[in-house]
């Protein structure tokens, strides 16, 4: 067994539910399939996740990838309804992003769902220039960018994007056999407020993640997608910091998916705090996990940091060594042993 301490990209996005079949069928359209299943009784669940409920979980795999997976957490007694259709500009927000080759097809389904009366909110896929390249002549040279849309439902909070005229080979693997022609989750997002950026040091200094992008500013005036997805108002802006699998690269063409995407709003903007609706026991997207080797190494590092509510290392519902903690920015995390 490899005892060298290593950490990978975001391993799972965990979704609290009460009925598994509708969610399994939904994610199958995005190329996921049923993998491991497991159960825990309430006392162990309370030790690991701080929830007084029996738990049954189902891990969903996506092709042969080792990150960007889904864990459906079936709670016998969920603590609350979760984030539901709450705005994306709240503290505690969690969402997951997926690459697709047909974003308009997903928009078609979302609009059909809306017309049938299902609770759903989506934005039109806006044109965004993610990576700065030499500008060509419109209608003559390739247009390099993405179409990006948001899709909110009571149990899922998604951003989907389609690339045009560029590739990042290790950033998202499309399952072409899936109905919606989508990849695993390429990154997961959070909202923070910390003008000093001190809380973000935790991810670099304690967990050893690669800070691949920092202080990238987005304003109301510069991004139509940000206006729609994050309800930016005139004159408002936020900055983006990203943390990657250490095997990734700051060269965007060599980046690996599994990214943590942090949107930092200025402290002067009043944001609602929804941490109580986005942690284990809640319904909807409520937890992210990282997979590590030498979990005791990471346990000691976290224990000697500014993290709080650190649990003991116990076996999770899949029989894997695991522990949880709250990072200095207020988000609850779970680490899993490889």
């Amino acid at each position: 067994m490899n005892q060298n301490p290593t950490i990978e990209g975001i391993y799972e996005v965990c979704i609290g539910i009460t009925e598994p079949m509708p969610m399994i069928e939904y994610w199958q359209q995005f190329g996921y399939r049923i993998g491991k299943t497991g159960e825990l009784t309430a006392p162990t669940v309370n030790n690991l996740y701080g929830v007084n409920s029996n738990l049954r979980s189902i891990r969903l795999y996506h092709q042969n990838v080792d990150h960007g997976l889904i864990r459906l957490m079936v709670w016998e007694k969920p603590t609350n309804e979760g984030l539901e259709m709450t705005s994306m500009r709240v503290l505690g927000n969690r969402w997951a992003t997926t690459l697709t080759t047909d974003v308009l097809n997903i928009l078609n389904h979302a609009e059909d769902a809306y017309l049938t009366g299902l609770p759903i909110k989506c934005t039109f896929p806006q044109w965004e220039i993610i990576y700065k390249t030499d500008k060509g002549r419109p209608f003559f040279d390739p247009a390099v960018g993405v179409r990006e849309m948001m899709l909110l439902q009571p149990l899922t909070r998604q951003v989907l994007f389609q690339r045009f005229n560029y590739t990042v080979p290790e950033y998202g693997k499309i399952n072409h056999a899936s109905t919606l022609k989508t990849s695993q989750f390429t990154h997961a997002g959070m909202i923070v407020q910390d003008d000093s950026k001190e809380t973000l040091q935790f991810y670099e200094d304690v967990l050893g993640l690669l800070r691949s992008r920092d202080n990238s500013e987005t304003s109301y005036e510069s991004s139509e997608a940000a206006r729609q997805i994050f309800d930016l108002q005139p004159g408002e802006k936020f900055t983006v910091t990203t943390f990657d699998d250490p095997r990734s690269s700051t060269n965007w063409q060599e980046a690996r998916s599994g990214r943590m995407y942090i949107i930092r709003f200025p402290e002067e903007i009043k944001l609602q705090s929804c941490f109580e609706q986005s942690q284990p026991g809640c319904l909807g997207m409520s937890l992210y996990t990282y997979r590590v080797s030498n979990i005791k190494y990471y346990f000691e590092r976290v224990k000697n940091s500014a993290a709080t509510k650190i649990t003991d290392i116990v076996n999770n519902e899949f029989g894997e060594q695991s522990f949880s903690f709250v990072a200095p920015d207020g988000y609850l995390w779970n680490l899993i042993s490889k």
Side-chain angles (χ1 to χ4, degrees):
M1 181 177 177
N2 181 10
Q3 291 299 308
N4 292 328
T6 60
I7 188 168
E8 300 173 353
I10 287 181
Y11 184 51
E12 299 164 305
V13 173
C14 303
I15 305 173
I17 58 174
T18 56
E19 298 292 335
M21 282 313 301
M23 275 284 96
I24 291 171
E25 292 172 349
Y26 177 78
W27 288 110
Q28 283 174 337
Q29 310 313 304
F30 292 85
Y32 284 89
R33 69 181 191 279
I34 296 174
K36 288 184 177 180
T37 62
E39 299 182 5
L40 286 179
T41 58
T44 306
V45 173
N46 198 37
N47 288 338
L48 183 56
Y49 303 118
V51 184
N52 184 26
S53 172
N54 293 333
L55 172 65
R56 178 163 58 97
S57 289
I58 305 160
R59 181 173 286 153
L60 304 184
Y61 291 97
H62 198 283
Q63 303 173 98
N64 62 347
V65 300
D66 62 359
H67 64 280
L69 309 183
I70 293 172
R71 189 195 310 190
L72 300 177
M73 303 180 81
V74 187
W75 297 101
E76 183 177 83
K77 295 186 291 184
T79 54
N80 60 57
E81 297 297 314
L83 293 167
E84 296 189 291
M85 307 291 283
T86 303
S87 165
M88 291 280 280
R89 57 179 286 152
V90 298
L91 296 172
N93 186 21
R94 298 180 188 266
W95 70 94
T97 301
T98 302
L99 174 67
T100 179
T101 60
D102 195 351
V103 72
L104 281 178
N105 183 37
I106 296 171
L107 177 66
N108 293 341
H109 284 284
E111 292 187 349
D112 278 351
Y114 177 80
L115 291 173
T116 61
L118 293 175
I120 193 166
K121 180 181 179 182
C122 67
T123 62
F124 186 82
Q126 295 294 332
W127 179 247
E128 289 286 304
I129 308 299
I130 304 296
Y131 300 110
K132 303 302 180 185
T133 59
D134 293 335
K135 288 187 177 180
R137 296 179 302 164
F139 301 106
F140 291 90
D141 298 314
V144 180
V146 301
R147 286 281 175 182
E148 187 176 38
M149 67 174 284
M150 175 193 72
L151 183 60
L152 289 188
Q153 299 176 83
L155 295 175
T156 59
R157 303 169 72 80
Q158 296 168 261
V159 173
L160 300 118
F161 71 103
Q162 181 175 354
R163 295 188 188 118
F164 293 88
N165 298 308
Y166 77 98
T167 60
V168 185
E170 298 297 325
Y171 205 93
K173 182 179 179 182
I174 297 287
N175 184 341
H176 292 281
S178 65
T179 302
L180 299 177
K181 304 292 187 292
T182 42
S183 73
Q184 81 277 37
F185 290 140
T186 57
H187 50 282
M190 307 190 304
I191 301 287
V192 304
Q193 282 185 300
D194 177 5
D195 291 349
S196 72
K197 296 197 300 181
E198 289 182 6
T199 58
L200 301 188
Q201 289 294 125
F202 174 85
Y203 297 105
E204 193 170 26
D205 297 344
V206 177
L207 296 187
L209 297 167
L210 172 68
R211 191 186 297 238
S212 55
R213 179 180 172 193
D214 204 8
N215 287 335
S216 177
E217 188 174 284
T218 299
S219 66
Y220 172 91
E221 291 74 20
S222 68
S223 174
E224 180 66 33
R227 290 182 220 174
Q228 294 192 17
I229 296 174
F230 297 105
D231 297 328
L232 274 185
Q233 301 302 306
E236 290 185 342
K237 62 183 179 180
F238 58 72
T239 56
V240 175
T241 300
T242 59
F243 289 97
D244 287 4
D245 182 324
R247 297 172 298 171
S248 189
S249 172
T250 55
N251 179 343
W252 63 267
Q253 291 177 312
E254 299 174 0
R256 289 174 177 259
S257 52
R259 173 171 290 173
M260 177 171 60
Y261 192 95
I262 296 178
I263 286 184
R264 185 163 52 87
F265 276 89
E267 292 176 11
E268 66 186 24
I269 297 178
K270 187 174 182 180
L271 297 184
Q272 180 184 359
S273 178
C274 291
F275 287 109
E276 293 298 318
Q277 287 77 44
S278 64
Q279 58 186 354
C282 304
L283 300 183
M285 291 183 169
S286 48
L287 177 66
Y288 302 146
T289 71
Y290 278 115
R291 192 166 64 155
V292 301
S293 60
N294 196 341
I295 195 168
K296 292 181 180 179
Y297 168 86
Y298 288 95
F299 179 74
E300 291 300 322
R301 289 187 67 83
V302 171
K303 195 164 65 169
N304 291 313
S305 74
T308 59
K309 297 184 180 179
I310 305 162
T311 73
D312 292 331
I313 298 174
V314 300
N315 284 347
N316 67 11
E317 55 268 44
F318 304 116
E320 303 155 335
Q321 286 193 312
S322 179
F323 74 96
S324 300
F325 59 89
V326 175
D329 56 19
Y331 283 87
L332 194 148
W333 288 87
N334 181 260
L335 299 190
I336 301 168
S337 180
K338 290 182 68 173

PDB file of all heavy atoms in Angstrom, residues 37-49:
ATOM      1  N   THR A  37     -22.385   0.446  -2.942  1.00  0.00           N
ATOM      2  CA  THR A  37     -23.457   0.816  -2.022  1.00  0.00           C
ATOM      3  C   THR A  37     -23.015   0.461  -0.613  1.00  0.00           C
ATOM      4  O   THR A  37     -22.154  -0.400  -0.414  1.00  0.00           O
ATOM      5  CB  THR A  37     -24.769   0.088  -2.349  1.00  0.00           C
ATOM      6  OG1 THR A  37     -24.566  -1.332  -2.202  1.00  0.00           O
ATOM      7  CG2 THR A  37     -25.225   0.390  -3.768  1.00  0.00           C
ATOM      8  N   GLY A  38     -23.588   1.130   0.365  1.00  0.00           N
ATOM      9  CA  GLY A  38     -23.223   0.841   1.750  1.00  0.00           C
ATOM     10  C   GLY A  38     -24.169   1.506   2.720  1.00  0.00           C
ATOM     11  O   GLY A  38     -24.950   2.393   2.354  1.00  0.00           O
ATOM     12  N   GLU A  39     -24.098   1.081   3.983  1.00  0.00           N
ATOM     13  CA  GLU A  39     -24.993   1.596   5.013  1.00  0.00           C
ATOM     14  C   GLU A  39     -24.230   1.848   6.302  1.00  0.00           C
ATOM     15  O   GLU A  39     -23.189   1.238   6.562  1.00  0.00           O
ATOM     16  CB  GLU A  39     -26.126   0.595   5.288  1.00  0.00           C
ATOM     17  CG  GLU A  39     -27.014   0.296   4.095  1.00  0.00           C
ATOM     18  CD  GLU A  39     -28.149  -0.667   4.432  1.00  0.00           C
ATOM     19  OE1 GLU A  39     -28.290  -1.016   5.634  1.00  0.00           O
ATOM     20  OE2 GLU A  39     -28.892  -1.051   3.525  1.00  0.00           O
ATOM     21  N   LEU A  40     -24.769   2.774   7.099  1.00  0.00           N
ATOM     22  CA  LEU A  40     -24.267   3.034   8.445  1.00  0.00           C
ATOM     23  C   LEU A  40     -25.446   3.251   9.375  1.00  0.00           C
ATOM     24  O   LEU A  40     -26.478   3.813   8.978  1.00  0.00           O
ATOM     25  CB  LEU A  40     -23.384   4.286   8.478  1.00  0.00           C
ATOM     26  CG  LEU A  40     -21.970   4.224   7.891  1.00  0.00           C
ATOM     27  CD1 LEU A  40     -21.309   5.595   8.026  1.00  0.00           C
ATOM     28  CD2 LEU A  40     -21.125   3.152   8.555  1.00  0.00           C
ATOM     29  N   THR A  41     -25.302   2.837  10.618  1.00  0.00           N
ATOM     30  CA  THR A  41     -26.331   3.113  11.616  1.00  0.00           C
ATOM     31  C   THR A  41     -26.104   4.497  12.214  1.00  0.00           C
ATOM     32  O   THR A  41     -25.017   5.074  12.105  1.00  0.00           O
ATOM     33  CB  THR A  41     -26.316   2.064  12.734  1.00  0.00           C
ATOM     34  OG1 THR A  41     -25.018   2.059  13.342  1.00  0.00           O
ATOM     35  CG2 THR A  41     -26.610   0.662  12.178  1.00  0.00           C
ATOM     36  N   ALA A  42     -27.141   5.013  12.847  1.00  0.00           N
ATOM     37  CA  ALA A  42     -27.129   6.391  13.324  1.00  0.00           C
ATOM     38  C   ALA A  42     -25.929   6.739  14.209  1.00  0.00           C
ATOM     39  O   ALA A  42     -25.350   7.830  14.048  1.00  0.00           O
ATOM     40  CB  ALA A  42     -28.443   6.694  14.036  1.00  0.00           C
ATOM     41  N   PRO A  43     -25.512   5.873  15.161  1.00  0.00           N
ATOM     42  CA  PRO A  43     -24.372   6.277  16.009  1.00  0.00           C
ATOM     43  C   PRO A  43     -23.094   6.546  15.211  1.00  0.00           C
ATOM     44  O   PRO A  43     -22.393   7.535  15.469  1.00  0.00           O
ATOM     45  CB  PRO A  43     -24.206   5.081  16.956  1.00  0.00           C
ATOM     46  CG  PRO A  43     -25.556   4.458  17.020  1.00  0.00           C
ATOM     47  CD  PRO A  43     -26.114   4.603  15.640  1.00  0.00           C
ATOM     48  N   THR A  44     -22.782   5.699  14.225  1.00  0.00           N
ATOM     49  CA  THR A  44     -21.586   5.922  13.415  1.00  0.00           C
ATOM     50  C   THR A  44     -21.763   7.124  12.501  1.00  0.00           C
ATOM     51  O   THR A  44     -20.828   7.907  12.282  1.00  0.00           O
ATOM     52  CB  THR A  44     -21.262   4.671  12.579  1.00  0.00           C
ATOM     53  OG1 THR A  44     -21.180   3.530  13.434  1.00  0.00           O
ATOM     54  CG2 THR A  44     -19.932   4.837  11.858  1.00  0.00           C
ATOM     55  N   VAL A  45     -22.964   7.284  11.950  1.00  0.00           N
ATOM     56  CA  VAL A  45     -23.247   8.458  11.122  1.00  0.00           C
ATOM     57  C   VAL A  45     -23.034   9.736  11.931  1.00  0.00           C
ATOM     58  O   VAL A  45     -22.444  10.709  11.446  1.00  0.00           O
ATOM     59  CB  VAL A  45     -24.695   8.405  10.580  1.00  0.00           C
ATOM     60  CG1 VAL A  45     -25.052   9.690   9.862  1.00  0.00           C
ATOM     61  CG2 VAL A  45     -24.867   7.223   9.639  1.00  0.00           C
ATOM     62  N   ASN A  46     -23.468   9.724  13.185  1.00  0.00           N
ATOM     63  CA  ASN A  46     -23.307  10.895  14.041  1.00  0.00           C
ATOM     64  C   ASN A  46     -21.829  11.178  14.296  1.00  0.00           C
ATOM     65  O   ASN A  46     -21.406  12.341  14.316  1.00  0.00           O
ATOM     66  CB  ASN A  46     -24.051  10.681  15.354  1.00  0.00           C
ATOM     67  CG  ASN A  46     -24.291  11.975  16.099  1.00  0.00           C
ATOM     68  OD1 ASN A  46     -24.560  13.010  15.493  1.00  0.00           O
ATOM     69  ND2 ASN A  46     -24.178  11.929  17.412  1.00  0.00           N
ATOM     70  N   ASN A  47     -21.029  10.129  14.461  1.00  0.00           N
ATOM     71  CA  ASN A  47     -19.593  10.299  14.694  1.00  0.00           C
ATOM     72  C   ASN A  47     -18.888  10.884  13.473  1.00  0.00           C
ATOM     73  O   ASN A  47     -17.957  11.683  13.612  1.00  0.00           O
ATOM     74  CB  ASN A  47     -18.942   8.963  15.056  1.00  0.00           C
ATOM     75  CG  ASN A  47     -19.304   8.493  16.445  1.00  0.00           C
ATOM     76  OD1 ASN A  47     -19.701   9.299  17.290  1.00  0.00           O
ATOM     77  ND2 ASN A  47     -19.174   7.201  16.688  1.00  0.00           N
ATOM     78  N   LEU A  48     -19.316  10.488  12.275  1.00  0.00           N
ATOM     79  CA  LEU A  48     -18.605  10.885  11.059  1.00  0.00           C
ATOM     80  C   LEU A  48     -19.189  12.132  10.399  1.00  0.00           C
ATOM     81  O   LEU A  48     -18.441  12.970   9.892  1.00  0.00           O
ATOM     82  CB  LEU A  48     -18.624   9.719  10.055  1.00  0.00           C
ATOM     83  CG  LEU A  48     -17.869   9.927   8.747  1.00  0.00           C
ATOM     84  CD1 LEU A  48     -16.402  10.293   9.002  1.00  0.00           C
ATOM     85  CD2 LEU A  48     -17.963   8.682   7.874  1.00  0.00           C
ATOM     86  N   TYR A  49     -20.515  12.249  10.411  1.00  0.00           N
ATOM     87  CA  TYR A  49     -21.171  13.350   9.699  1.00  0.00           C
ATOM     88  C   TYR A  49     -21.962  14.294  10.607  1.00  0.00           C
ATOM     89  O   TYR A  49     -22.504  15.293  10.110  1.00  0.00           O
ATOM     90  CB  TYR A  49     -22.118  12.793   8.624  1.00  0.00           C
ATOM     91  CG  TYR A  49     -21.449  11.891   7.623  1.00  0.00           C
ATOM     92  CD1 TYR A  49     -21.822  10.551   7.491  1.00  0.00           C
ATOM     93  CD2 TYR A  49     -20.430  12.363   6.795  1.00  0.00           C
ATOM     94  CE1 TYR A  49     -21.209   9.717   6.565  1.00  0.00           C
ATOM     95  CE2 TYR A  49     -19.809  11.535   5.868  1.00  0.00           C
ATOM     96  CZ  TYR A  49     -20.213  10.212   5.764  1.00  0.00           C
ATOM     97  OH  TYR A  49     -19.604   9.384   4.845  1.00  0.00           O
TER      98      TYR A  49
END
